[in-house]
Amino acid sequence: MNEFTNWDIFQALILAARWTVVLSLIAFLGGASVGLLLTFLQISSRTALVRIARFYVELFQGTPLLMQLFLVFFGLSLLGIDVSPWTAAALALTLFSSAFLSEIWRGCIESLPKGQWEASRCLGLSYFEIMRHIILPQALKVAVAPTVGFSVQIVKGTALASIIGFVELTKAGTMLNNATFEPFKVFGMVALIYFLLCYPLSVASRHLERKLNVTG
Amino acid sequence: MAYNFQFSGLLPYLQNLVDGLVTTVVITLITTVLGCLLGTLCAAARAGQSSFKSKVVGVYVELIRNTPFIVQLFFIFFGLPALGLRLSAWEAGTLAMVINLGAYSTEIIRAGIEATPKGQIEAAKVLGLTRFQTFVRVVLPPAIQKIYPALTSQCIIVMLGSAVLSQISVQELTFAANFIQSRNFLSFEVYFVVAGVYLLLSIGMRQLFNGIHYLVFPNLRAQR
């Protein structure tokens, strides 16, 4: 049987953490794109579009991420598509984060005073111009801090991808634990690496919130 | 698509689903009560005068909030026995959830406490209330009222997180789903139904919390 030194374990975990980071980035970018679309649906003036978007958000905020992962993983294979854990994890996390991000961004846009819209309309600006020059620049400022804050949730969410067999930090931890029988050490290190990934984001979010509140 | 959905295949396993649902509800109930209690105590320590206690709570909150729940769960279930503390899956799962909710609710309740005007605390002091009385009777009620919606959302998030307990073989709703799909291979159907149950649970939980809100804070009713 191989002997694992602490350094071996740590190195293996760091290597696996790459995939946590890559998956987080994919989920964030995917979630941001879909989330942006949903945000515009949510603030549109068509009730049907708003309803669809609200239902989507309610659906993904009201079910466990684990269920969403299972449904994507098993549901897509019903359609005859061969799903790798990669695809399933990336897709499920994208759907999950898009719901939360669009809810955050909707809140940011709606927090702007109604008078801004009315004034822009009185000045004869088109919808696109209002968005481009009046609403988005202001909403963006409010949105930065909670968006960075939510990215922590995405990084933590990727841990669930280990359950459908995606080898990232948590899965590597489980595998190393099975090989070394030192759960306290292994999961302690796993937790530490997640902490090192997430804590800077948390601090940045808090810092941005304070900074943008003062100037805003 | 050539697939026939066979939801009737779930009927023989209805009892498993009901049992799982009951376990999920019970664990959620225990977690909500204990987690909010822990959060209140920690928030009190955070706002209190002892800087040592405040720092310990700060480390606890940051550690929990910046690591995934599943890792906390594995650490407690697999890691703690190595130190001689042996817990059943059920105990480990509930403990992990309480610790998790405790950290989040600490932050939420602290925000409510900080919003209390200084003058109220000074007034309570002048009236001769002890520090404990001031906290419980003057500071806490309006604080809880203010942050109640945020606390509700967090409790729902933790309820949804209980799905992960299936991974350490706690026989809750997701465990039942995994069990059923390993028997009849109707994986999509099972997970679809169970996801629906979770959705109903979270909607129901929000309604319940709103109801309690109105019962506990009668001044809300007067305002309407």
Side-chain angles (χ1 to χ4, degrees):
Chain A
M1 186 185 139
N2 282 336
E3 286 295 322
F4 290 89
T5 63
N6 288 347
W7 179 239
D8 288 335
I9 298 175
F10 192 70
Q11 254 183 329
L13 289 176
I14 290 286
L15 280 177
R18 279 181 308 175
W19 302 117
T20 293
V21 173
V22 172
L23 187 60
S24 304
L25 286 176
I26 292 177
F28 185 80
L29 293 178
S33 330
V34 182
L36 200 61
L37 188 77
L38 279 169
T39 310
F40 283 114
L41 289 185
Q42 287 208 59
I43 58 165
S44 82
S45 46
R46 298 248 174 106
T47 0
L49 292 182
V50 177
R51 283 227 182 99
I52 294 172
R54 294 293 320 153
F55 180 73
Y56 179 97
V57 171
E58 186 72 31
L59 191 67
F60 285 97
Q61 289 194 334
T63 53
L65 177 58
L66 187 57
M67 277 298 130
Q68 295 161 22
L69 272 168
F70 282 155
L71 278 173
V72 169
F73 194 49
F74 293 106
L76 280 186
S77 38
L78 289 189
L79 296 172
I81 304 166
D82 190 25
V83 244
S84 64
W86 247 117
T87 336
L91 188 58
L93 280 162
T94 296
L95 296 173
F96 169 79
S97 42
S98 68
F100 279 83
L101 283 174
S102 88
E103 190 67 1
I104 292 171
W105 293 340
R106 180 187 65 95
C108 293
I109 290 179
E110 284 181 354
S111 74
L112 299 177
K114 264 250 144 51
Q116 300 270 335
W117 285 91
E118 289 160 1
S120 327
R121 245 176 251 136
C122 287
L123 290 172
L125 297 178
S126 69
Y127 180 81
F128 178 77
E129 285 168 334
I130 297 177
M131 273 295 167
R132 164 78 183 75
H133 296 291
I134 313 292
I135 302 299
L136 288 187
Q138 299 183 72
L140 211 62
K141 213 165 153 191
V142 193
V144 173
T147 305
V148 174
F150 182 71
S151 64
V152 176
Q153 306 294 329
I154 298 181
V155 176
K156 292 193 293 177
T158 60
L160 291 187
S162 63
I163 296 172
I164 56 168
F166 180 80
V167 183
E168 37 65 79
L169 188 48
T170 306
K171 183 76 185 170
T174 324
M175 288 152 71
L176 279 165
N177 174 41
N178 290 340
T180 59
F181 303 112
E182 287 184 293
F184 192 79
K185 195 196 294 173
V186 172
F187 287 118
M189 281 185 189
V190 170
L192 179 74
I193 296 174
Y194 273 113
F195 186 79
L196 293 179
L197 285 175
C198 294
Y199 189 63
L201 289 171
S202 298
V203 172
S205 163
R206 234 172 298 159
H207 175 75
L208 286 167
E209 197 178 318
R210 226 173 295 133
K211 200 175 119 193
L212 296 177
N213 264 350
V214 173
T215 53
Chain B
M1 194 172 97
Y3 186 82
N4 288 324
F5 289 102
Q6 301 164 32
F7 285 101
S8 59
L10 303 183
L11 284 177
Y13 299 99
L14 200 60
Q15 192 56 43
N16 294 70
L17 285 178
V18 172
D19 289 347
L21 178 62
V22 170
T23 310
T24 294
V25 170
V26 169
I27 289 183
T28 305
L29 205 66
I30 297 174
T31 304
T32 305
V33 173
L34 292 184
C36 290
L37 207 63
L38 180 64
T40 311
L41 289 177
C42 289
R46 198 93 214 254
Q49 287 155 343
S50 152
S51 78
F52 173 71
K53 273 192 219 157
S54 170
K55 267 186 197 130
V56 170
V57 171
V59 170
Y60 156 64
V61 169
E62 289 302 330
L63 272 180
I64 298 298
R65 276 164 47 109
N66 288 298
T67 50
F69 176 62
I70 188 172
V71 175
Q72 295 159 16
L73 185 66
F74 283 173
F75 188 80
I76 288 174
F77 186 62
F78 298 117
L80 287 189
L83 294 185
L85 182 61
R86 199 163 288 277
L87 298 168
S88 72
W90 197 88
E91 290 160 349
T94 312
L95 181 65
M97 280 175 67
V98 169
I99 289 176
N100 191 276
L101 179 60
Y104 281 94
S105 59
T106 299
E107 273 303 278
I108 296 172
I109 296 171
R110 189 180 63 108
I113 290 175
E114 276 176 1
T116 311
K118 261 236 143 61
Q120 292 200 0
I121 298 168
E122 286 161 2
K125 209 179 201 175
V126 170
L127 287 172
L129 270 66
T130 63
R131 274 180 46 215
F132 178 76
Q133 283 172 326
T134 309
F135 184 73
V136 173
R137 290 172 182 270
V138 178
V139 177
L140 205 52
I144 298 284
Q145 193 174 341
K146 246 173 245 147
I147 48 85
Y148 197 83
L151 200 58
T152 305
S153 301
Q154 194 57 47
C155 291
I156 292 174
I157 289 174
V158 168
M159 182 274 287
L160 296 176
S162 74
V164 176
L165 299 197
S166 61
Q167 296 307 306
I168 59 164
S169 75
V170 178
Q171 305 194 354
E172 42 69 75
L173 195 50
T174 307
F175 184 88
N178 287 338
F179 173 79
I180 295 168
Q181 74 95 20
S182 71
R183 285 294 182 90
N184 61 12
F185 305 111
L186 298 173
S187 47
F188 187 79
E189 285 87 337
V190 176
Y191 291 130
F192 186 80
V193 168
V194 169
V197 175
Y198 274 112
L199 189 59
L200 290 179
L201 261 182
S202 56
I203 293 171
M205 220 169 134
R206 194 170 286 280
Q207 297 295 338
L208 183 71
F209 269 67
N210 285 345
I212 295 173
H213 198 188
Y214 275 81
L215 282 179
V216 176
F217 298 107
N219 56 336
L220 283 177
R221 272 173 289 175
Q223 279 167 14
R224 297 279 150 108

